[in-house]
Amino acid sequence: MALRAKVLYDFHSENPGEISIAENEVVTLFSEEELEGWLEGENSRGEAGLFPASYVEIIRDHITSNNNGLSLPQAKVQTSYTPSQSQRGFGADSSSFHTSQGSDDDWDDEWDDNSPVANAPQGLGSSPPLHPIATSLPGRGSTPQHQQQAKSSATVGRNLNRFSTFVKSGGEAFLLGEASAFVKDGDRICVVMGKHGPEWQEDPYPFTCTIDDPTKQTKFKGMKSYMSYGLTPTHTNVQVNRRYKHFDWLYARLVERFPVISVPHLPEKQATGRFEEDFLSKRRKGLIWWMNHMTSHPVLAHCDVFQHFLTCGADEKAWKQGKRKAERDELVGANFFLTISPPSVPLDLQEVENKIEGFKAFTKKMDENIVVVNTSINEFARKQMSGFKKEYQKVGQSFKYLAQAFELDQQVYSVGLNKAISYTGEAYEAIGEYFAEQPRQDLDPISDLLDLYKGHLSNFPDIIHVQKGALTKVKDCPKQEGELHDRCNIISFATLAEIQHFHRTRVRDFRSQMQHHLRQQISFFQKITAKLEDTLQRYDDDQ
Amino acid sequence: MALRAKVLYDFHSENPGEISIAENEVVTLFSEEELEGWLEGENSRGEAGLFPASYVEIIRDHITSNNNGLSLPQAKVQTSYTPSQSQRGFGADSSSFHTSQGSDDDWDDEWDDNSPVANAPQGLGSSPPLHPIATSLPGRGSTPQHQQQAKSSATVGRNLNRFSTFVKSGGEAFLLGEASAFVKDGDRICVVMGKHGPEWQEDPYPFTCTIDDPTKQTKFKGMKSYMSYGLTPTHTNVQVNRRYKHFDWLYARLVERFPVISVPHLPEKQATGRFEEDFLSKRRKGLIWWMNHMTSHPVLAHCDVFQHFLTCGADEKAWKQGKRKAERDELVGANFFLTISPPSVPLDLQEVENKIEGFKAFTKKMDENIVVVNTSINEFARKQMSGFKKEYQKVGQSFKYLAQAFELDQQVYSVGLNKAISYTGEAYEAIGEYFAEQPRQDLDPISDLLDLYKGHLSNFPDIIHVQKGALTKVKDCPKQEGELHDRCNIISFATLAEIQHFHRTRVRDFRSQMQHHLRQQISFFQKITAKLEDTLQRYDDDQ
């Protein structure tokens, strides 16, 4: 029986030798061995060629299926798990890794120019993983059969793709028992069984953190200037000053440290909004959202590097010390999983798989639909600021014209009416302004929220890939070591806890933002009503 | 010194021999004698030719001016006063005159087809008077010098232009003492001196009249059908049934009967509105406005023909009797002025002239500006029914998409939010509908009001011309008969009373309509607010 694979994402061939494949299409594989992230096969249109291995999922017959009455031993070749180049943030973390090794001198650069973190994370949605770069395309017809056999002799094979998130995140190394580090009690992260499944242990010391308007700071006797944000966490109530690049550095640390936690994306480095609103104000709002997500995450909120960031004062030496410590943190990647204390309850693998699949479908749909929402509300905002305003103002202006005509009749019984109509004209002009100002109050915040969630949604494919990688590896060797199972469960518990946290945060954020929006809309329409009521009274003056 | 004239209205040449002239331009006249409504002269661009005499005003040096030390006797040639062909309603009344002479059998025609009154009055605004029709254009170079001399020998000359409103209305005949008819006490119309100047004596028996939705009636065993309106005047409280053609007939009678009263125009015969709203409903609304103006006019409300129209029941014979009586009414045109009892106070001619001039400027400005208002509110209505509705509904739809995505997560703490967001989507769709429905409530009535006033404003140029014709004739012979002055005063009193009535009605109508508009807008925004408040509560359900 020919080896087949189901296509997970659309891939459009860009180079000779590649073939295009479409989501849900079933392709025939010439070999299940991938080379540098590519597989060779034939698509449903009969075209033969290469496509990214990460875009397909090999279809396997289960060992239990009664195929022609024969019970075949399950193939030991592992399915590939998104061998993308750093899926999370699309290259952001890999470039950030470099930052982390940069000398402290780098910190004195202009606040947002020449930053070594050139590719700040952007909310790109749950797009398919990047396919292997064309330059690494293997020659057609190459038959790396030996390589595979050499590997498949191992009971629990390593993933061939060294760029796989599963591998990069350290998930594979941990699963294979290769992780090793000393975990202090303070570093322990507990997953507990809550009412709705596994969840991060509730934060016993919750806190929040305010972010002030940024202030312009200078150094080197005014030669260099940068913007500084005053942060005041509620648990210390001491303000510290941070620049955007500090946030950026912190973000890189967090992404490296927590493979299955969705670290909120920082606001975009350059924001050119439809409102041409002050860039700094927009960035500050983005940072507030970011901070809010950080402080409300039980794991992120209390990790050392974040605490250092929030609490280290102006003492340059202390700062550098904490910075170096964070950059040398051993509990990153594979070792992160060592810090997790799972609940002592069994996990049903099928149930876990279903939950993960359900969540995958959820994120895909949410990602698609928030694009629609964002488009609609941005367009609605634009219309209110242009069309709606213009219409009300045109009507207002024409009422004023009417009043001007009426003013030519200065009889005493006309004067009151003339004034009232003129006032009505002004009221309509004011209402036009109300419309133009309103989107900032109630549509922009939703848009900001959607941006933040777009970031989260683009994190989850990688998180899911790590969990799925672990699960598949365990399923491939069902009777192997109990420790493998335990380690896989740790990954599953962490993933499920993070999904639970995502849902809770999502429900909280969207509820409060929709409420905020509606309250703002209500007071907006009440303001209009009050203006009109005031206007109506002008007509009573000289009845 | 060359005889010059100031151009009152733009005129665009349409035939060989004519020249174009522009408002406020000063043209040189070759002769001040007009022939069939035309004058010959040269415009400021040096073009020589004919233009309508009614479009210009001859510039005269006052007898008191010390021109070269010579005191020239004042020219006795009268300025022309809009020699249009039936200015009022632009031909409506002249065609209506025919109706009035038609046999009673005509009344059985289809209710709005083949009506003899083909050119129902339309609100054309205070456009310049129609210029003399091209077919009556005199041959160029004709020198009708003898004609003029023959006429100018009379001390108080007749206006050469037999199409002048002043002549046609009977104003001239009355002024010259040629009117003669028996006036019963019941026909007497009193002008009194009110707080703000001359006014029609207040109606001692005010009433109103309701108009029901029209019903379809058939005659000749169903062979013919027509729409019938049930009218119920409050002073009889007995319903009578009338067809549109009855209104039309009545309108023609009133226009003929009252030269210096602005008879409200009937709603247009064919109305194709921007809303494609039911034509009959629009006509009924128009008739209600019309009726409202009729019953609130002290003179019109109680005149015989209107009372006959309002009170004559189903008795065919009685109807025809009243109809014939109205058509044979002697107190039309010149004789109308005989019915007027002026207050016994002197009138200052200069003050009257100033008032009339002021009113002329007023109507011009009002006419211009209500066009702007009408354009704005119609566009505003259109936008609310299309763009505004669409934007709210698009946002509503996108919220529903968001809810649909969220519904993929059916955890118990998500369900309430999902429902609330879905409900929000529906609320926005409903608000979109509110916007689309609103213009009928608060913009259409203003538009209807403006239409009615557009009709009034198109009536006033003729009314003013009658008064000015009388005033100029009197000024031309300052020492002539006291009776001429008295008769001129009657015309002035009537005109001023009508102007006063116009202003009062205008102030009343615009005040009440603006109030209505604002109240409707307030309840509209309150409705939206209530909808949003209801929506907001949905978010509390499972906090």
Side-chain angles (χ1 to χ4, degrees), chain A residues 221-236:
Chain A
K221 293 176 180 158
M223 293 285 282
K224 293 223 174 203
S225 67
Y226 58 92
M227 300 307 290
S228 175
Y229 296 85
L231 315 184
T232 313
T234 54
H235 64 326
T236 61

Side-chain angles (χ1 to χ4, degrees), chain A residues 202-495:
Chain A
E202 215 177 300
D203 185 352
Y205 309 108
F207 66 95
T208 56
C209 178
T210 58
I211 301 182
D212 290 347
D213 274 329
T215 53
K216 197 169 185 173
Q217 306 290 328
T218 54
K219 48 166 54 184
F220 303 137
K221 293 176 180 158
M223 293 285 282
K224 293 223 174 203
S225 67
Y226 58 92
M227 300 307 290
S228 175
Y229 296 85
L231 315 184
T232 313
T234 54
H235 64 326
T236 61
N237 210 23
V238 176
Q239 182 174 313
V240 297
N241 293 300
R242 297 289 176 255
R243 293 164 63 183
Y244 183 80
K245 60 163 44 179
H246 297 144
F247 281 93
D248 213 24
W249 171 83
L250 171 63
Y251 175 80
R253 296 286 73 65
L254 295 167
V255 165
E256 185 183 37
R257 176 75 165 80
F258 300 108
V260 292
I261 288 178
S262 176
V263 181
H265 289 198
L266 286 169
E268 294 182 44
K269 206 157 186 65
Q270 286 296 345
T272 48
R274 49 165 204 268
F275 304 127
E276 295 190 345
E277 174 187 65
D278 179 35
F279 164 66
L280 291 172
S281 153
K282 184 156 175 66
R283 168 173 278 181
R284 177 172 164 256
K285 280 198 286 174
L287 290 177
I288 290 170
W289 271 113
W290 183 86
M291 186 58 86
N292 186 274
H293 266 230
M294 285 297 298
T295 57
S296 68
H297 194 293
V299 178
L300 296 175
H302 289 281
C303 73
D304 286 347
V305 63
F306 185 48
Q307 286 298 322
H308 175 62
F309 174 86
L310 288 180
T311 58
C312 185
D315 178 354
E316 192 72 9
K317 203 178 155 194
W319 171 257
K320 287 193 179 176
Q321 205 168 7
K323 182 170 177 291
R324 275 193 214 101
K325 186 176 160 230
E327 284 161 6
R328 288 172 193 152
D329 189 356
E330 286 212 319
L331 298 176
V332 302
N335 291 348
F336 158 74
F337 295 104
L338 296 173
T339 65
I340 291 175
S341 297
S344 55
V345 288
L347 262 188
D348 180 86
L349 287 197
Q350 189 55 51
E351 201 186 310
V352 172
E353 203 165 8
N354 291 346
K355 276 190 175 179
I356 299 286
E357 275 306 315
F359 184 68
K360 199 175 151 187
F362 175 89
T363 51
K364 186 167 186 286
K365 188 89 174 168
M366 178 170 171
D367 192 57
E368 283 165 14
N369 289 8
I370 66 177
V371 171
V372 177
V373 178
N374 219 357
T375 306
S376 299
I377 65 174
N378 279 310
E379 181 61 16
F380 189 42
R382 205 182 61 77
K383 284 277 164 63
Q384 287 187 59
M385 297 168 80
S386 57
F388 283 45
K389 174 182 171 184
K390 209 176 74 189
E391 288 306 318
Y392 277 95
Q393 296 204 331
K394 263 165 61 186
V395 170
Q397 188 59 51
S398 74
F399 282 152
K400 281 164 95 175
Y401 285 142
L402 186 65
Q404 278 166 24
F406 282 9
E407 275 157 21
L408 292 184
D409 175 46
Q410 278 296 335
Q411 289 183 84
V412 71
Y413 59 77
S414 290
V415 174
L417 176 67
N418 303 348
K419 282 187 189 157
I421 293 177
S422 182
Y423 192 86
T424 309
E426 281 161 26
Y428 269 83
E429 289 181 334
I431 291 170
E433 281 300 333
Y434 294 172
F435 268 100
E437 288 159 8
Q438 193 53 24
R440 269 174 202 262
Q441 311 304 322
D442 55 23
L443 291 176
D444 282 10
I446 293 186
S447 189
D448 293 341
L449 179 71
L450 295 177
D451 283 347
L452 187 85
Y453 272 85
K454 214 133 179 46
H456 278 306
L457 291 172
S458 74
N459 289 340
F460 275 104
D462 274 1
I463 293 171
I464 291 170
H465 278 295
V466 171
Q467 193 277 336
K468 279 194 144 191
L471 203 62
T472 312
K473 223 175 252 297
V474 168
K475 279 162 82 184
D476 282 352
C477 46
K479 283 160 203 161
Q480 281 272 325
E481 334 151 40
E483 279 186 16
L484 192 77
H485 269 97
D486 292 347
R487 288 195 292 266
C488 178
N489 278 357
I490 283 175
I491 294 178
S492 294
F493 272 124
T495 307

